[in-house]
Amino acid sequence: MSETYLVFAEHRGGKLRQVTLEALQAAAVAADDGGVRIAAVLIGHNAGALAEALAGYPVSDIHVIEDASLEHYNPEAYLHALAELCGAVRPVAVFLGHTALGRDLAPALAARLKAGQLSDVIAVERSGDETVFTRPLYAGKAFEKKVFRGTPWIVTVRPNNIPPAAVGGLATANVAKHDYTAPSSLRTIVKDVVRQTSGKVDLTEAKIVVSGGRGVKSSDGFKPLEELAELLGGAVGASRGACDAGYCDYALQIGQTGKVVTPEIYIACGISGAIQHLAGMSQSRIIIAINKDPEAPIFKVADYGIVGDLFEVVPLLTEEFRKALA
């Protein structure tokens, strides 16, 4: 009987999240065409509607756990549903996105399955008969390579680091629906979720991020950044200093105690570059810094630096990009 790698297919707003496709690719690399079946699991209310979209990718089996009580993420309920499926499927490995949901669910699942866990993986490669996982340490100052010595594995994949799986699924992908019964030990019930978002693009998955620090001076100071981000199809982020000052919501915070982002382009506006902030964005492909202080630490990690007032520079950039895109 062939082994199975299970991918937790995270979705939001009726669409698969980008990190789900990246987790599928990580599983495919780990499988190395060695006869391993790659399966995916969809959990949620009306989750089955996404099975067809998921079938367009290289998966052999799609498991759907659908129930009205699973409409909103509940740690206990989702853990119970996923653990029950793992008991039936017995996967050798489970891959999840290193998102707020994945970070919450993965360690609990690892404890339930008595499995080894690796978090925040940014690369997967094969070396002989082993699968080697790379993850950052010390806020990205160093990297370690790890291999599992036993099974099962639990792996979370950092968004925007592993290429997404390409379309080209198996015509014979099996879709199996599973019944869900809430456990009697369930202590919490999520009635509703109030979301405060930074825009149309998810911050952790955005290819372009425009971030503001204390230099934006007020909540209105974020408006030029929001305009630039919207024009480029990106997301708006912030330093802890800007959040602490009340200029924006903490949902936008990037850094050691906030979100970790690895976009193609990171534009830091009025951000000094404290080590805590660098921990959340230093792995960005291209870093552009805009700051009035030529001695600001952010310039040491920036690929391109602009010494100037962000309220003059950002509108000029927006105008030039608008002309170029037109």
Side-chain angles (χ1 to χ4, degrees):
M1 185 176 179
S2 61
E3 297 179 337
T4 298
Y5 288 176
L6 182 65
V7 176
F8 177 75
E10 193 171 339
H11 53 91
R12 178 183 292 173
K15 295 181 179 179
L16 293 172
R17 294 193 65 179
Q18 176 77 6
V19 73
T20 293
L21 308 183
E22 295 163 4
L24 278 174
Q25 180 63 18
V29 173
D32 193 35
D33 296 324
V36 176
R37 294 180 70 87
I38 297 178
V41 54
L42 288 160
I43 301 177
H45 181 46
N46 293 328
L50 292 170
E52 185 177 348
L54 192 57
Y57 295 90
V59 290
S60 301
D61 305 283
I62 300 172
H63 300 278
V64 178
I65 304 174
E66 203 171 43
D67 192 84
S69 64
L70 297 171
E71 180 177 2
H72 303 299
Y73 174 66
N74 180 322
E76 293 176 279
Y78 271 54
L79 173 62
H80 175 74
L82 190 53
E84 287 284 304
L85 178 67
C86 287
V89 176
R90 297 194 177 279
V92 172
V94 181
F95 291 81
L96 307 91
H98 193 69
T99 60
L101 193 154
R103 292 196 301 269
D104 187 48
L105 193 55
L109 182 64
R112 180 74 65 90
L113 300 181
K114 294 181 171 57
Q117 182 192 346
L118 277 177
S119 297
D120 206 17
V121 167
I122 62 172
V124 183
E125 58 187 325
R126 293 286 299 181
S127 178
D129 294 331
E130 294 182 324
T131 302
V132 182
F133 299 91
T134 303
R135 59 189 298 270
L137 294 173
Y138 308 118
K141 294 185 179 64
F143 300 88
E144 67 174 357
K145 292 184 180 292
K146 291 277 193 176
V147 297
F148 286 100
R149 293 304 184 194
T151 58
W153 317 334
I154 307 294
V155 178
T156 64
V157 175
R158 179 186 287 193
N160 276 351
N161 279 264
I162 295 173
V167 175
L170 303 174
T172 56
N174 302 311
V175 178
K177 293 192 175 183
H178 301 264
D179 294 328
Y180 170 78
T181 302
S184 58
S185 59
L186 198 65
R187 294 170 294 179
T188 57
I189 297 175
V190 180
K191 294 287 190 180
D192 194 15
V193 175
V194 178
R195 290 186 173 90
Q196 185 166 3
T197 61
S198 58
K200 298 178 181 178
V201 182
D202 186 276
L203 182 58
T204 58
E205 296 183 351
K207 298 299 183 183
I208 298 175
V209 173
V210 183
S211 274
R214 286 187 182 273
V216 301
K217 299 180 181 179
S218 68
S219 56
D220 287 340
F222 269 94
K223 290 181 180 178
L225 279 60
E226 291 167 357
E227 185 179 356
L228 177 59
E230 184 176 358
L231 178 66
L232 298 176
V236 174
S239 69
R240 179 171 179 174
C243 296
D244 286 345
Y247 301 159
C248 62
D249 191 83
Y250 280 99
L252 304 185
Q253 184 183 334
I254 293 171
Q256 194 166 26
T257 55
K259 292 181 172 69
V260 175
V261 298
T262 50
E264 297 290 337
I265 301 175
Y266 186 88
I267 305 175
C269 307
I271 295 175
S272 62
I275 188 64
Q276 291 85 355
H277 183 73
L278 298 182
M281 46 66 69
S282 61
Q283 298 304 308
S284 303
R285 308 296 194 278
I286 297 173
I287 300 173
I288 301 170
I290 303 170
N291 202 297
K292 290 195 295 186
D293 180 9
E295 302 299 323
I298 191 71
F299 287 122
K300 294 180 181 179
V301 299
D303 298 286
Y304 301 95
I306 302 174
V307 178
D309 188 336
L310 72 90
F311 295 108
E312 297 176 2
V313 175
V314 173
L316 288 173
L317 284 175
T318 302
E319 187 58 31
E320 291 303 314
F321 277 123
R322 184 173 284 113
K323 291 178 182 176
L325 293 171

mmCIF file of all heavy atoms in Angstrom, residues 193-217:
data_model
loop_
_atom_site.group_PDB
_atom_site.id
_atom_site.type_symbol
_atom_site.label_atom_id
_atom_site.label_comp_id
_atom_site.label_asym_id
_atom_site.label_seq_id
_atom_site.Cartn_x
_atom_site.Cartn_y
_atom_site.Cartn_z
ATOM 1 N N VAL A 193 -17.569 35.941 13.361
ATOM 2 C CA VAL A 193 -16.212 36.482 13.289
ATOM 3 C C VAL A 193 -16.292 37.882 12.704
ATOM 4 O O VAL A 193 -16.873 38.091 11.637
ATOM 5 C CB VAL A 193 -15.288 35.594 12.411
ATOM 6 C CG1 VAL A 193 -13.925 36.257 12.255
ATOM 7 C CG2 VAL A 193 -15.139 34.207 13.021
ATOM 8 N N VAL A 194 -15.724 38.847 13.421
ATOM 9 C CA VAL A 194 -15.655 40.220 12.927
ATOM 10 C C VAL A 194 -14.251 40.443 12.406
ATOM 11 O O VAL A 194 -13.273 40.340 13.158
ATOM 12 C CB VAL A 194 -15.972 41.240 14.047
ATOM 13 C CG1 VAL A 194 -15.853 42.666 13.514
ATOM 14 C CG2 VAL A 194 -17.367 40.986 14.598
ATOM 15 N N ARG A 195 -14.135 40.699 11.115
ATOM 16 C CA ARG A 195 -12.827 40.831 10.492
ATOM 17 C C ARG A 195 -12.492 42.292 10.241
ATOM 18 O O ARG A 195 -13.329 43.053 9.781
ATOM 19 C CB ARG A 195 -12.764 40.079 9.161
ATOM 20 C CG ARG A 195 -12.777 38.566 9.310
ATOM 21 C CD ARG A 195 -12.553 37.895 7.961
ATOM 22 N NE ARG A 195 -12.401 36.469 8.100
ATOM 23 C CZ ARG A 195 -13.407 35.603 8.052
ATOM 24 N NH1 ARG A 195 -14.627 36.056 7.864
ATOM 25 N NH2 ARG A 195 -13.196 34.312 8.182
ATOM 26 N N GLN A 196 -11.248 42.638 10.559
ATOM 27 C CA GLN A 196 -10.733 43.954 10.205
ATOM 28 C C GLN A 196 -9.521 43.709 9.326
ATOM 29 O O GLN A 196 -8.485 43.258 9.793
ATOM 30 C CB GLN A 196 -10.332 44.749 11.448
ATOM 31 C CG GLN A 196 -9.912 46.182 11.127
ATOM 32 C CD GLN A 196 -9.840 47.048 12.368
ATOM 33 O OE1 GLN A 196 -10.050 46.580 13.471
ATOM 34 N NE2 GLN A 196 -9.540 48.313 12.195
ATOM 35 N N THR A 197 -9.651 43.946 8.038
ATOM 36 C CA THR A 197 -8.612 43.587 7.091
ATOM 37 C C THR A 197 -7.865 44.810 6.595
ATOM 38 O O THR A 197 -8.327 45.934 6.692
ATOM 39 C CB THR A 197 -9.206 42.847 5.875
ATOM 40 O OG1 THR A 197 -10.140 43.722 5.227
ATOM 41 C CG2 THR A 197 -9.925 41.586 6.300
ATOM 42 N N SER A 198 -6.686 44.560 6.036
ATOM 43 C CA SER A 198 -5.841 45.640 5.539
ATOM 44 C C SER A 198 -6.133 45.962 4.083
ATOM 45 O O SER A 198 -5.578 46.883 3.523
ATOM 46 C CB SER A 198 -4.361 45.250 5.682
ATOM 47 O OG SER A 198 -4.090 44.059 4.974
ATOM 48 N N GLY A 199 -7.007 45.220 3.449
ATOM 49 C CA GLY A 199 -7.294 45.461 2.039
ATOM 50 C C GLY A 199 -7.700 44.185 1.342
ATOM 51 O O GLY A 199 -8.007 43.182 1.972
ATOM 52 N N LYS A 200 -7.695 44.225 0.030
ATOM 53 C CA LYS A 200 -8.133 43.083 -0.746
ATOM 54 C C LYS A 200 -7.098 41.968 -0.772
ATOM 55 O O LYS A 200 -7.425 40.817 -0.995
ATOM 56 C CB LYS A 200 -8.439 43.539 -2.179
ATOM 57 C CG LYS A 200 -9.569 44.562 -2.280
ATOM 58 C CD LYS A 200 -9.791 45.006 -3.708
ATOM 59 C CE LYS A 200 -10.893 46.051 -3.805
ATOM 60 N NZ LYS A 200 -11.086 46.531 -5.189
ATOM 61 N N VAL A 201 -5.827 42.304 -0.581
ATOM 62 C CA VAL A 201 -4.741 41.323 -0.675
ATOM 63 C C VAL A 201 -4.287 40.922 0.719
ATOM 64 O O VAL A 201 -4.063 41.775 1.587
ATOM 65 C CB VAL A 201 -3.548 41.908 -1.463
ATOM 66 C CG1 VAL A 201 -2.441 40.878 -1.601
ATOM 67 C CG2 VAL A 201 -4.008 42.393 -2.836
ATOM 68 N N ASP A 202 -4.173 39.614 0.947
ATOM 69 C CA ASP A 202 -3.700 39.120 2.239
ATOM 70 C C ASP A 202 -2.249 39.533 2.449
ATOM 71 O O ASP A 202 -1.405 39.330 1.582
ATOM 72 C CB ASP A 202 -3.820 37.590 2.282
ATOM 73 C CG ASP A 202 -3.479 37.038 3.647
ATOM 74 O OD1 ASP A 202 -2.285 36.844 3.913
ATOM 75 O OD2 ASP A 202 -4.401 36.804 4.442
ATOM 76 N N LEU A 203 -1.962 40.110 3.601
ATOM 77 C CA LEU A 203 -0.634 40.666 3.874
ATOM 78 C C LEU A 203 0.467 39.621 3.767
ATOM 79 O O LEU A 203 1.519 39.875 3.169
ATOM 80 C CB LEU A 203 -0.625 41.312 5.267
ATOM 81 C CG LEU A 203 0.671 41.997 5.711
ATOM 82 C CD1 LEU A 203 1.074 43.093 4.739
ATOM 83 C CD2 LEU A 203 0.501 42.576 7.116
ATOM 84 N N THR A 204 0.243 38.429 4.318
ATOM 85 C CA THR A 204 1.297 37.415 4.322
ATOM 86 C C THR A 204 1.546 36.799 2.954
ATOM 87 O O THR A 204 2.582 36.181 2.723
ATOM 88 C CB THR A 204 0.971 36.287 5.320
ATOM 89 O OG1 THR A 204 -0.284 35.709 4.975
ATOM 90 C CG2 THR A 204 0.917 36.834 6.743
ATOM 91 N N GLU A 205 0.582 36.947 2.021
ATOM 92 C CA GLU A 205 0.728 36.351 0.699
ATOM 93 C C GLU A 205 0.967 37.382 -0.393
ATOM 94 O O GLU A 205 1.114 37.024 -1.563
ATOM 95 C CB GLU A 205 -0.519 35.518 0.370
ATOM 96 C CG GLU A 205 -0.715 34.332 1.309
ATOM 97 C CD GLU A 205 -1.907 33.480 0.929
ATOM 98 O OE1 GLU A 205 -2.672 33.901 0.042
ATOM 99 O OE2 GLU A 205 -2.072 32.397 1.516
ATOM 100 N N ALA A 206 0.991 38.667 -0.035
ATOM 101 C CA ALA A 206 1.146 39.731 -1.024
ATOM 102 C C ALA A 206 2.522 39.691 -1.680
ATOM 103 O O ALA A 206 3.531 39.444 -1.019
ATOM 104 C CB ALA A 206 0.928 41.089 -0.370
ATOM 105 N N LYS A 207 2.553 39.938 -2.975
ATOM 106 C CA LYS A 207 3.814 40.007 -3.712
ATOM 107 C C LYS A 207 4.498 41.360 -3.515
ATOM 108 O O LYS A 207 5.712 41.481 -3.680
ATOM 109 C CB LYS A 207 3.569 39.777 -5.207
ATOM 110 C CG LYS A 207 2.988 38.412 -5.537
ATOM 111 C CD LYS A 207 3.907 37.289 -5.124
ATOM 112 C CE LYS A 207 3.343 35.938 -5.520
ATOM 113 N NZ LYS A 207 4.199 34.812 -5.048
ATOM 114 N N ILE A 208 3.702 42.381 -3.199
ATOM 115 C CA ILE A 208 4.232 43.716 -2.936
ATOM 116 C C ILE A 208 3.639 44.220 -1.623
ATOM 117 O O ILE A 208 2.422 44.144 -1.424
ATOM 118 C CB ILE A 208 3.893 44.699 -4.084
ATOM 119 C CG1 ILE A 208 4.534 44.234 -5.393
ATOM 120 C CG2 ILE A 208 4.353 46.121 -3.738
ATOM 121 C CD1 ILE A 208 4.156 45.073 -6.601
ATOM 122 N N VAL A 209 4.485 44.698 -0.735
ATOM 123 C CA VAL A 209 4.027 45.231 0.549
ATOM 124 C C VAL A 209 4.572 46.642 0.724
ATOM 125 O O VAL A 209 5.767 46.878 0.542
ATOM 126 C CB VAL A 209 4.480 44.346 1.733
ATOM 127 C CG1 VAL A 209 4.130 45.009 3.067
ATOM 128 C CG2 VAL A 209 3.847 42.966 1.646
ATOM 129 N N VAL A 210 3.686 47.567 1.045
ATOM 130 C CA VAL A 210 4.073 48.947 1.341
ATOM 131 C C VAL A 210 3.825 49.166 2.824
ATOM 132 O O VAL A 210 2.681 49.092 3.285
ATOM 133 C CB VAL A 210 3.254 49.959 0.509
ATOM 134 C CG1 VAL A 210 3.737 51.381 0.791
ATOM 135 C CG2 VAL A 210 3.363 49.642 -0.982
ATOM 136 N N SER A 211 4.889 49.400 3.581
ATOM 137 C CA SER A 211 4.774 49.502 5.031
ATOM 138 C C SER A 211 5.104 50.893 5.531
ATOM 139 O O SER A 211 5.972 51.580 4.985
ATOM 140 C CB SER A 211 5.716 48.510 5.723
ATOM 141 O OG SER A 211 5.114 47.254 5.855
ATOM 142 N N GLY A 212 4.414 51.269 6.606
ATOM 143 C CA GLY A 212 4.662 52.559 7.229
ATOM 144 C C GLY A 212 5.109 52.419 8.671
ATOM 145 O O GLY A 212 4.689 51.486 9.362
ATOM 146 N N GLY A 213 5.958 53.351 9.120
ATOM 147 C CA GLY A 213 6.418 53.366 10.497
ATOM 148 C C GLY A 213 5.963 54.633 11.196
ATOM 149 O O GLY A 213 5.014 55.292 10.782
ATOM 150 N N ARG A 214 6.658 54.986 12.254
ATOM 151 C CA ARG A 214 6.303 56.205 12.993
ATOM 152 C C ARG A 214 6.379 57.439 12.107
ATOM 153 O O ARG A 214 5.738 58.459 12.378
ATOM 154 C CB ARG A 214 7.217 56.365 14.202
ATOM 155 C CG ARG A 214 6.920 55.405 15.348
ATOM 156 C CD ARG A 214 7.753 55.754 16.563
ATOM 157 N NE ARG A 214 7.528 54.816 17.660
ATOM 158 C CZ ARG A 214 6.564 54.942 18.571
ATOM 159 N NH1 ARG A 214 5.735 55.980 18.489
ATOM 160 N NH2 ARG A 214 6.429 54.069 19.532
ATOM 161 N N GLY A 215 7.159 57.350 11.045
ATOM 162 C CA GLY A 215 7.327 58.485 10.153
ATOM 163 C C GLY A 215 6.066 58.899 9.417
ATOM 164 O O GLY A 215 6.006 59.997 8.852
ATOM 165 N N VAL A 216 5.011 58.043 9.430
ATOM 166 C CA VAL A 216 3.761 58.435 8.771
ATOM 167 C C VAL A 216 3.000 59.470 9.599
ATOM 168 O O VAL A 216 2.090 60.123 9.099
ATOM 169 C CB VAL A 216 2.847 57.227 8.479
ATOM 170 C CG1 VAL A 216 3.541 56.216 7.587
ATOM 171 C CG2 VAL A 216 2.383 56.558 9.757
ATOM 172 N N LYS A 217 3.345 59.559 10.894
ATOM 173 C CA LYS A 217 2.889 60.617 11.809
ATOM 174 C C LYS A 217 1.428 60.528 12.262
ATOM 175 O O LYS A 217 1.082 61.063 13.310
ATOM 176 C CB LYS A 217 3.138 62.001 11.203
ATOM 177 C CG LYS A 217 4.606 62.287 10.929
ATOM 178 C CD LYS A 217 4.787 63.663 10.324
ATOM 179 C CE LYS A 217 6.261 63.920 10.021
ATOM 180 N NZ LYS A 217 6.459 65.256 9.401
#
